[in-house]
Amino acid sequence: MPMNPIWNFFEKVAFPGKAKCNKCDRLFSLGSDKPKFQTVHGLKSHLAKCHKDVNDIYLKQVADKHNAVACKRIKVEVVAEPIVPAAFIQPTRSTTMGHQVPFADDSEAAKRIDKAIMDVIIVDMLPYSIVEGEAFRRLNFTDPAVPRRYKLKSEKYYRTSLMPATYNTIAEHVKKLLTEAKWVSFTTNVWSNPTRTCSLLSFMGHFLRGPTRSKLILSAMVLEEEHDGVYLASKLQEAVTLWGLQGKVHIGVCDNGANMISALRIAGIHDVGCVARTLQLVVHEALFTQASVEALIKKARTIVTHFQHSEQACQKFADCQKSCSVPLHKLLQDTKTCWNSTYIMLERMVEQRRAVNLFSVEHGGINALSSAEWELVERVVNVLQPFYAAMLEISADDACISVVIPLIAMLQGKMQSTSDDRGLLQMKAVLCDAMNRHFAYVKTAPHTIAATLLDPRFKDIYLTGPEVAAAKAEIIEFLRSINSIEEFSAVDLNIVKCEFSTDQQSESVSPLTWLWEAHDNLPIESVIAGNEWKPVYEQQLAAYLKEPCVPRSTNIFGYWHCSQFPSLEPAASKYLSAPPTSTASERLFSSAGQLYAERRSTLPDENVEKLLFLSYNIRLLEFNY
């Protein structure tokens, strides 16, 4: 085998496993004393870092050697294969390999590789310095077996040139999407970094786009002053102006903080409290503040902590699980500020009850629950089960504010228990009372009742007569404002219906089915509406309400995208644009935590907004920009 060209610039010395640079006489290790295990990687790195002129000569010699081998291979292949007319010969990898030249920095191939590297840095929340890493510098983006064609760029190039250009490109795509949107609702929240003295204000837009509802991260603004209502309102107005949303904002969904509610009202935006936060408030106030439940949860946490801190205890617990024939699941620790995690912890405790008791008897080390305490755990799990299902429902990406009123009705129905268990009855009564107090506003808010009426799964089922009248008035007033007053016509009730998707399979296996059983078992009735000479949108609203409700698994955005009531579609795009919670903004802050991780501790605050914006929206665009 021909000698490696590297030895034209180094020579082996008397010391085993060492080589000397002919240029600077420095000694370098070959990795081993045995020739079979020696490597020249350190020698190549030395030339690349310290002797760039010599390294260029070395790379040219490597390329010439490779071309010679390729040409030899071509000659062998030509002799071995039958003669074929030249017009039919297709270039192969073997015939073209020897003629490859490095990519120019402005070539399309180089730009595609630059973009792919930038996507990795942004979406995976990696520091720019990764491109200076030793392993990264060894990457060959064409073929590791051939000379490098792509010239690696510096950290500065990605940080100061390509990232700003990428931001501008994605921002243009986002502005185009927002221009096409008729109405936008947004979720907003404040996050403070626990490790640094900085805070962010999120601003996420939600809007109907064809048969789906899309969401975009529009801003994650760095807060430099006190988080009072006036300052937060100025930041929200700044975001609305930046993205050209004047006159297109429907409502803003925020947590229940007084400063956020004040900010929205000062900014002239209808505010809606996060339903998930309100539900958490209901559970904590009605259940977790009870002394017996509070003591029980504290004791359960102590048991779980024992197993988390001892691997030996976990192994013994696994033996107890096998003996009791219970699932081999670990006990789960909860987060004190998140009630649904407490529910999951207690639910797992109930599942592992026999194994926990057996471990306590055989090994000790834990303060086991008494029979009365186990009964209390089961009561708490029983009463919280529908609330946990409700949290899953409203936290889904496609959850709509129209689900809030029906969902509360389902929860209240579950609290009307006929059980003889007085403890359980008392818990449910307290929870029901708390719901009535904290959710009283939902049936008085015009945007909520209008959204419920426009949800083809629910319509007026969960609204009283006055509430239906108020919802219809809200919708008609909005439609009147965007339609000509002379627009009168009889509604055509014979328009062919479009197909809209339903997920019947998920309906049959969904864990939420039990929560919704009262709704799913309602009788379906259909009444044909008569034609009246009214504005077309009023006629279509009347006809829509006479149609039977669609299955609960129906994609409501797809329903309105191709409905038989086109005059109502503008109202649907407005009132159904809002999610019921600010969960999307809270998920954004988990990404912010990654950006502020120790390995990116020097990241300037002003770059955080752009990186969060890009990280989410690049995925929304499926990396096509």
Side-chain angles (χ1 to χ4, degrees):
M1 180 176 291
M3 182 180 68
N4 188 328
I6 196 70
W7 295 111
N8 294 331
F9 310 98
F10 291 84
E11 65 181 44
K12 293 187 177 181
V13 294
F15 300 101
K18 299 287 185 180
K20 183 181 73 173
C21 175
N22 296 336
K23 183 79 172 177
C24 60
D25 293 332
R26 291 177 59 186
L27 294 179
F28 295 90
S29 172
L30 297 175
S32 175
D33 295 339
K34 299 179 180 179
K36 181 179 179 180
F37 300 103
Q38 289 178 348
T39 175
V40 296
H41 172 67
L43 311 186
K44 295 178 183 179
S45 298
H46 173 65
L47 289 184
K49 292 180 179 180
C50 302
H51 309 299
K52 293 185 177 180
D53 53 340
V54 176
N55 188 59
D56 292 339
I57 298 173
Y58 162 69
L59 293 177
K60 185 177 184 305
Q61 291 182 2
V62 170
D64 291 341
K65 175 186 173 183
H66 176 76
N67 292 343
V69 173
C71 291
K72 183 176 180 181
R73 187 184 299 118
I74 293 172
K75 291 180 181 179
V76 172
E77 290 175 353
V78 169
V79 171
E81 295 195 354
I83 298 177
V84 181
F88 294 95
I89 296 178
Q90 297 293 327
T92 65
R93 184 172 181 272
S94 297
T95 60
T96 59
M97 186 182 298
H99 304 287
Q100 292 177 343
V101 295
F103 297 137
D105 284 348
D106 60 350
S107 67
E108 291 303 315
K111 289 180 180 179
R112 286 193 294 270
I113 296 174
D114 289 340
K115 174 183 175 296
I117 295 173
M118 192 77 256
D119 287 346
V120 170
I121 293 174
I122 292 172
V123 175
D124 291 342
M125 303 285 184
L126 299 175
Y128 293 110
S129 58
I130 189 175
V131 299
E132 302 289 354
E134 180 181 357
F136 189 92
R137 304 298 295 181
R138 294 186 70 248
L139 288 175
N140 188 336
F141 290 92
T142 49
D143 184 346
V146 302
R148 186 190 302 275
R149 299 187 65 192
Y150 169 75
K151 181 181 178 181
L152 291 169
K153 307 298 194 303
S154 67
E155 173 187 349
K156 182 179 179 181
Y157 168 76
Y158 291 101
R159 177 165 41 84
T160 63
S161 298
L162 191 53
M163 198 281 274
T166 302
Y167 177 83
N168 292 335
T169 301
I170 299 297
E172 287 303 315
H173 280 276
V174 169
K175 287 180 179 178
K176 182 180 178 181
L177 290 175
L178 293 175
T179 301
E180 298 170 354
K182 296 178 181 178
W183 289 90
V184 177
S185 294
F186 67 87
T187 54
T188 183
N189 213 334
V190 173
W191 174 80
S192 297
N193 184 3
T195 60
R196 294 174 59 174
T197 56
C198 67
S199 299
L200 299 177
L201 175 66
S202 64
F203 188 85
M204 295 191 69
H206 305 256
F207 56 94
L208 268 62
R209 182 186 176 201
T212 62
R213 191 185 65 209
S214 296
K215 62 180 178 181
L216 294 166
I217 291 178
L218 301 181
S219 299
M221 296 164 280
V222 177
L223 301 178
E224 300 172 342
E225 299 179 18
E226 290 295 327
H227 307 163
D228 57 43
V230 175
Y231 177 63
L232 295 178
S234 69
K235 300 297 286 186
L236 293 175
Q237 289 170 329
E238 178 185 320
V240 169
T241 303
L242 174 65
W243 296 105
L245 299 179
Q246 300 93 327
K248 299 177 72 170
V249 173
H250 172 37
I251 58 176
V253 183
C254 64
D255 62 17
N256 298 328
N259 59 340
M260 288 303 308
I261 294 174
S262 175
L264 289 169
R265 294 177 180 176
I266 293 173
I269 299 169
H270 291 296
D271 61 281
V272 178
C274 173
V275 176
R277 290 293 182 92
T278 306
L279 204 59
Q280 177 172 312
L281 184 63
V282 167
V283 172
H284 272 281
E285 178 184 303
L287 193 61
F288 288 176
T289 55
Q290 295 183 20
S292 58
V293 176
E294 189 176 7
L296 176 68
I297 293 173
K298 184 177 181 180
K299 195 170 182 179
R301 286 177 183 149
T302 303
I303 293 174
V304 176
T305 302
H306 174 78
F307 292 104
Q308 286 191 330
H309 292 171
S310 172
E311 183 62 31
Q312 186 178 14
C314 288
Q315 294 174 357
K316 293 178 180 178
F317 184 65
D319 294 334
C320 294
Q321 289 175 311
K322 294 175 183 177
S323 300
C324 296
S325 300
V326 298
L328 299 177
H329 296 158
K330 290 185 177 180
L331 297 180
L332 302 175
Q333 186 66 274
D334 71 332
T335 303
K336 294 183 180 181
T337 57
C338 187
W339 74 265
N340 47 325
S341 69
T342 303
Y343 164 78
I344 294 173
M345 177 184 72
L346 297 178
E347 184 186 44
R348 181 60 57 83
M349 287 283 289
V350 171
E351 177 194 82
Q352 300 294 326
R353 175 175 178 173
R354 288 187 295 165
V356 171
N357 287 338
L358 180 60
F359 181 92
S360 176
V361 172
E362 292 188 350
H363 306 288
I366 62 174
N367 187 10
L369 302 181
S370 66
S371 297
E373 288 173 327
W374 277 115
E375 290 178 6
L376 181 57
V377 171
E378 292 179 353
R379 286 197 194 100
V380 172
V381 169
N382 181 296
V383 79
L384 288 183
Q385 183 179 6
F387 286 88
Y388 178 69
M391 284 291 290
L392 295 179
E393 179 88 20
I394 60 178
S395 300
D397 278 342
D398 59 349
C400 182
I401 198 170
S402 61
V403 79
V404 175
I405 291 176
L407 197 63
I408 292 172
M410 293 298 102
L411 287 173
Q412 289 174 330
K414 293 299 179 184
M415 295 301 101
Q416 304 302 318
S417 174
T418 58
S419 170
D420 294 331
D421 188 328
R422 296 185 61 182
L424 192 61
L425 285 172
Q426 185 178 4
M427 285 184 184
K428 291 185 175 183
V430 174
L431 282 165
C432 194
D433 179 66
M435 277 195 297
N436 290 334
R437 285 185 288 104
H438 288 288
F439 285 108
Y441 72 93
V442 298
K443 288 195 143 189
T444 61
H447 51 264
T448 309
I449 56 176
T452 305
L453 198 69
L454 288 171
D455 190 321
R457 302 171 298 175
F458 309 124
K459 298 187 180 180
D460 57 359
I461 294 176
Y462 300 100
L463 302 175
T464 63
E467 290 163 356
V468 172
K472 290 170 68 175
E474 171 76 13
I475 295 168
I476 290 172
E477 179 61 28
F478 165 70
L479 293 174
R480 182 181 293 119
S481 69
I482 63 172
N483 286 279
S484 170
I485 196 169
E486 293 83 16
E487 185 180 342
F488 288 87
S489 172
V491 64
D492 183 1
L493 297 176
N494 297 317
I495 300 176
V496 178
K497 294 183 180 180
C498 294
E499 293 292 331
F500 50 86
S501 65
T502 61
D503 187 0
Q504 297 295 347
Q505 181 179 2
S506 65
E507 179 73 12
S508 62
V509 299
S510 170
L512 305 177
T513 301
W514 177 74
L515 173 64
W516 287 99
E517 62 181 350
H519 171 85
D520 296 339
N521 292 330
L522 288 173
I524 297 178
E525 298 178 357
S526 177
V527 181
I528 302 297
N531 292 344
E532 297 180 11
W533 290 97
K534 291 182 178 180
V536 64
Y537 50 83
E538 287 194 40
Q539 296 185 52
Q540 290 196 4
L541 179 59
Y544 159 75
L545 292 175
K546 294 295 183 181
E547 288 286 320
C549 291
V550 299
R552 188 169 52 82
S553 57
T554 299
N555 173 6
I556 61 172
F557 310 119
Y559 172 94
W560 283 112
H561 180 58
C562 59
S563 76
Q564 60 175 322
F565 310 109
S567 294
L568 302 182
E569 290 178 15
S573 69
K574 176 182 180 179
Y575 293 102
L576 300 181
S577 63
T581 73
S582 58
T583 302
S585 290
E586 294 174 6
R587 289 172 181 163
L588 166 66
F589 293 143
S590 65
S591 299
Q594 295 181 47
L595 282 178
Y596 280 114
E598 184 176 350
R599 66 188 304 189
R600 301 196 74 156
S601 58
T602 60
L603 183 69
D605 290 339
E606 58 268 22
N607 288 340
V608 172
E609 177 179 350
K610 291 184 177 181
L611 287 171
L612 288 172
F613 173 88
L614 291 173
S615 176
Y616 184 86
N617 294 331
I618 283 176
R619 283 175 286 189
L620 175 73
L621 298 173
E622 297 181 345
F623 296 84
N624 297 320
Y625 63 90

